[in-house]
Amino acid sequence: MAQSPRAAEASAAAPLTKVLVFSKTAAFRHSAIPAGVAAVRRLGAANGFSVTATEDAGAFTTANLAQYQAVIWLSTTGDVLNPAQQTAFETYIGAGGGFVGVHAAADTEYDWPWYGGLVGAYFASHPATQQATVEIEDRSSASTSHLPQRWTRNDEWYDYRVNPRSAVKVLASLDESSYSGGNMGDHPITWCQNYRGGRSWYTGLGHTEESYTDPAFTAMLLGGIQTASGARAADCRPENGYTPLFDGTQAALDRWRQAGPGGFTLADGTLTSVGGMGLLWYPVTPFSDYSLKADWMMPGDDNGGVFIGFPDPQGDPWRPVDLGHEIQIDATDADPTRTTGSVYSFKAPDTAARTAALNPPGTWNSYEISVHGRHVEIYLNGVKINDYTSARDIATGYIGVQNDGAGNDISYRDIRIKQDTAPAADLARNRPVSVSSVEPGSSHVGANAVDGDPATRWGSAHADPQSITVDLGAVRTLQRVRLTWETAYARAYTVQVSPDNVTWRTVHTTTAGDGGLDDIAVSGTARHVRVQGTERATQWGYSLWDLAVLGN
């Protein structure tokens, strides 16, 4: 189930006016510290915030720290604060302050457990400075949205004593196969978190002096300062257990299908809309009881949306509008039920919460859409902005993203999902299939219905009756049978199961089939499952994109 952020964790945007850079060292001293201070000063001058730099731990008093929205620990090392100063910093964070840790900030204050939790992980070791590939995991974050999916750079790559992933939102990690000496396996290198009333952002990058004149790195540092200070909305809750539906690759996109006009281009892991009004939807399986996350960006006053809970659109993008729900993305519609964060035409978002959480046009935002039965909760950058119980049958359905039309430009990244319980396995996937016939002269063989490819299908001869039977390989416990019909479908059919392909038991019968997706609850055990069509709905044969048998 989706995590509900407490009010203190809602990282909503607020003006950034003043930061403190702290670079005291009590152990190894990095030569890049002066370059880092200068880089933060340039960022402040260019972005309207003032910068105070100090190596005097006496700055850590409750009264003095209160004037800063973030304190940047720039390659600090060793034991740099006394107990009273530590207490003052804990009070500052507890009151909503921001922490930015750069590189050796993780090589600091080993005897202060509160600080170890704030930074996320302590330094363990590092190999020689060398080139490595950074994999950007969160491409909606203000600190990483400008970076390519795989970013190659030269730095000193820290190993950490523990992997922080379970407690933080990992923004970037290291590909340990791209360099020598990494020993963590799963290797986070940049992350953020909500911590005891405040916000924390850390990166292991920043060892070299050259880092601080690298525009990609300094833009990342700026985003970290904005995140920690609260100047940019950010979802810094840990994210574990999500399955990618679109991970930025062409192979992932090939599993989706376009309904209606227009479409999307793919570049650098980003889908960008072209024309419309259409819908790109995920046909592999419908979902129920889930948290869906999708990152999106509008360059200006544009339009798009994320769709949930709809049946197979059968090529018509209006079916999801009429039968599911659109979680709208539109900055300026006069109808509040048709603006960003609304359940389109049904319920407006909490306007104040949305305003506080929304990043402006040209920057990235992240939706989390939680669907449990007919209950829908919408989070924008980690802040809950809408709560709606639908009268529509949306408990099980497909998901998609909209391309609204020419000039209503929108981009999407990193669409992923987490179901409350692990979905049942598709027992029919790539199992042996027998069919009564194949459409003459076609390649639409029976195996196409169980290959997991939404672009292939089984098509029969143009006559009644017809059947398709799958052998599950052993007697299995069954839960559901899902039939995804092509345009040609069965008006009347039965679903039968058998332990031996001889004795059959009917588990479902209909004389009013209407195509699309038929999601049929079944029970008991069987080795063989047969769909027997007795009346075609069209002049053509029976045609199945997918025959899924779900169970254990």
Side-chain angles (χ1 to χ4, degrees):
M1 183 175 292
Q3 301 176 57
S4 298
R6 299 185 298 272
E9 294 177 338
S11 183
L16 172 59
T17 59
K18 196 170 187 179
V19 303
L20 176 68
V21 180
F22 181 56
S23 56
K24 180 180 177 180
T25 56
F28 182 83
R29 184 169 183 83
H30 284 76
S31 64
I33 287 174
V37 173
V40 177
R41 291 193 188 280
R42 290 194 300 272
L43 292 173
N47 293 278
F49 60 90
S50 66
V51 178
T52 301
T54 187
E55 299 202 353
D56 180 5
F60 282 73
T61 68
T62 302
N64 186 57
L65 292 176
Q67 65 184 304
Y68 302 107
Q69 280 111 352
V71 180
I72 303 163
W73 290 53
L74 178 63
S75 283
T76 52
T77 56
D79 186 359
V80 292
L81 298 185
N82 67 30
Q85 294 158 353
Q86 292 175 356
T87 298
F89 193 53
E90 290 182 14
T91 301
Y92 165 78
I93 293 295
F99 167 83
V100 176
V102 179
H103 195 55
D107 188 23
T108 304
E109 294 287 356
Y110 289 98
D111 296 325
W112 184 14
W114 180 94
Y115 178 83
L118 176 71
V119 72
Y122 283 121
F123 163 77
S125 62
H126 64 77
T129 300
Q130 60 191 291
Q131 182 173 284
T133 298
V134 181
E135 297 181 327
I136 307 303
E137 296 192 24
D138 184 344
R139 303 190 71 210
S140 67
S141 165
S143 60
T144 52
S145 63
H146 65 288
L147 297 171
Q149 283 187 293
R150 291 175 62 82
W151 180 31
T152 300
R153 55 175 285 108
N154 194 66
D155 215 312
E156 181 182 73
W157 304 110
Y158 277 8
D159 281 349
Y160 300 94
R161 294 185 180 183
V162 297
N163 187 324
R165 185 178 293 276
S166 64
V168 304
K169 176 70 171 289
V170 176
L171 307 178
S173 57
L174 288 177
D175 176 359
E176 287 193 345
S177 70
S178 68
Y179 73 105
S180 299
N183 295 302
M184 291 184 64
D186 175 29
H187 197 145
I189 197 66
T190 302
W191 55 80
C192 67
Q193 61 173 316
N194 303 305
Y195 189 76
R196 301 194 182 185
R199 296 166 301 273
S200 168
W201 181 94
Y202 171 81
T203 183
L205 284 65
H207 171 80
T208 68
E209 295 177 28
E210 293 78 12
S211 295
Y212 298 95
T213 55
D214 175 359
F217 175 79
T218 55
M220 185 179 78
L221 181 57
L222 173 64
I225 296 168
Q226 292 171 329
T227 297
S229 67
R232 286 284 295 274
D235 184 357
C236 288
R237 296 171 297 164
E239 184 173 306
N240 298 295
Y242 283 81
T243 298
L245 304 181
F246 170 70
D247 63 2
T249 64
Q250 184 64 50
L253 179 58
D254 288 344
R255 294 171 65 83
W256 293 64
R257 191 181 302 164
Q258 180 73 22
F264 290 87
T265 61
L266 174 61
D268 188 28
T270 304
L271 294 171
T272 301
S273 65
V274 179
M277 198 273 308
L279 185 77
L280 183 68
W281 65 290
Y282 187 76
V284 175
T285 183
F287 297 101
S288 59
D289 292 336
Y290 58 87
S291 164
L292 173 69
K293 290 190 175 184
D295 303 336
W296 55 268
M297 188 274 289
M298 298 188 301
D301 183 11
D302 296 290
N303 189 294
V306 179
F307 278 79
I308 58 169
F310 58 88
D312 185 337
Q314 300 178 7
D316 180 2
W318 290 102
R319 278 175 58 87
V321 175
D322 296 334
L323 300 175
H325 282 304
E326 179 183 8
I327 310 307
Q328 177 71 342
I329 303 170
D330 185 339
T332 60
D333 197 294
D335 183 345
T337 70
R338 298 186 174 190
T339 59
T340 295
S342 65
V343 180
Y344 185 78
S345 291
F346 286 89
K347 187 173 182 184
D350 180 323
T351 303
R354 181 194 60 194
T355 299
L358 182 66
N359 288 320
T363 59
W364 285 87
N365 290 274
S366 183
Y367 267 161
E368 177 187 352
I369 303 163
S370 171
V371 180
H372 294 90
R374 298 186 179 192
H375 183 209
V376 181
E377 298 169 280
I378 303 169
Y379 298 81
L380 175 64
N381 298 320
V383 177
K384 187 173 180 178
I385 62 170
N386 209 337
D387 192 308
Y388 176 70
T389 299
S390 178
R392 292 180 171 179
D393 186 12
I394 63 164
T396 299
Y398 292 100
I399 63 96
V401 293
Q402 185 187 59
N403 55 303
D404 190 76
N408 286 324
D409 306 314
I410 191 165
S411 296
Y412 302 97
R413 287 175 174 168
D414 295 336
I415 303 171
R416 62 265 195 213
I417 199 163
K418 179 169 66 174
Q419 294 184 265
D420 281 7
T421 57
D426 181 0
L427 306 175
R429 179 67 60 87
N430 295 319
R431 299 300 306 172
V433 167
S434 60
V435 295
S436 55
S437 67
V438 174
E439 183 179 14
S442 81
S443 60
H444 304 315
V445 297
N448 290 349
V450 296
D451 64 1
D453 185 344
T456 64
R457 61 185 176 90
W458 165 60
S460 78
H462 305 168
D464 291 314
Q466 301 291 341
S467 66
I468 178 170
T469 304
V470 58
D471 179 356
L472 305 180
V475 173
R476 309 290 189 186
T477 300
L478 308 184
Q479 297 177 8
R480 313 190 73 81
V481 173
R482 287 179 178 162
L483 306 175
T484 306
W485 297 97
E486 200 251 350
T487 305
Y489 60 93
R491 179 83 65 201
Y493 67 89
T494 61
V495 178
Q496 300 172 313
V497 299
S498 170
D500 55 10
N501 208 23
V502 175
T503 303
W504 291 92
R505 174 171 63 94
T506 298
V507 294
H508 177 76
T509 300
T510 184
T511 58
D514 59 359
L517 170 71
D518 290 342
D519 190 347
I520 304 159
V522 298
S523 61
T525 61
R527 172 170 174 167
H528 304 269
V529 177
R530 179 169 69 191
V531 179
Q532 179 85 26
T534 55
E535 181 188 347
R536 291 167 294 141
T538 70
Q539 62 181 313
W540 314 109
Y542 297 88
S543 186
L544 276 173
W545 290 114
D546 191 58
L547 164 58
V549 179
L550 304 180
N552 301 308

